[in-house]
Amino acid sequence: DAPQTMIAALAKALGVTPSYLMGWEDEPAPPQPNGQALDQSSIYMIPIYETVSAGFGAYADDHVTGYEPVYLSSEREALETLAITVRGDSMYPKIEEGDLVVVHRQDYFDNGDIVVAVVLGTEDGFVKRAFRSGDRLSLESINPSYPPMTFSGARIEDVRIMGVVRKIIKNV
């Protein structure tokens, strides 16, 4: 019985019948779809911004470079979501130059989340992993060539978390 179960599982994985796999049929079964249709009413066109700062208020109208269809759970979530084209390699290899990050606007995060943060005195924001412990906040790159940005005490107030990255859309 175990060999039959294994043959059935292998046939299913290959998208054929067990009879075809055993050589008892000449024609394979028609291919099974490898995906499912999404509810079209849950796909929203999210604005793409060329810079982090633009997506969160500074000259936002001038910096929309396009729109990306994204599957989201509600219209409210769509209103709180935007996409940003990534520049630089500080988050390489997970996030590369030119990738789109889909960001949910919020000012809180869980330790280890990839966030969009704006630091007082800088023009653009940063896409980094964020960690908070007591009165210390660390924004860390994945690429080890970039040292962590650490803020403590009153300097934490210089950092504003603008959102959390929910999806990464790769360009190939």
Side-chain angles (χ1 to χ4, degrees), residues 92-129:
Y92 178 84
K94 186 172 185 106
I95 303 173
E96 300 177 83
E97 172 114 16
D99 288 351
L100 288 179
V101 289
V102 177
V103 180
H104 183 259
R105 295 176 197 226
Q106 60 188 64
D107 60 1
Y108 57 92
F109 63 91
D110 291 328
N111 277 334
D113 280 350
I114 297 176
V115 302
V116 174
V118 175
V119 178
L120 184 69
T122 61
E123 269 186 44
D124 288 331
F126 299 93
V127 177
K128 303 284 183 198
R129 279 203 191 280

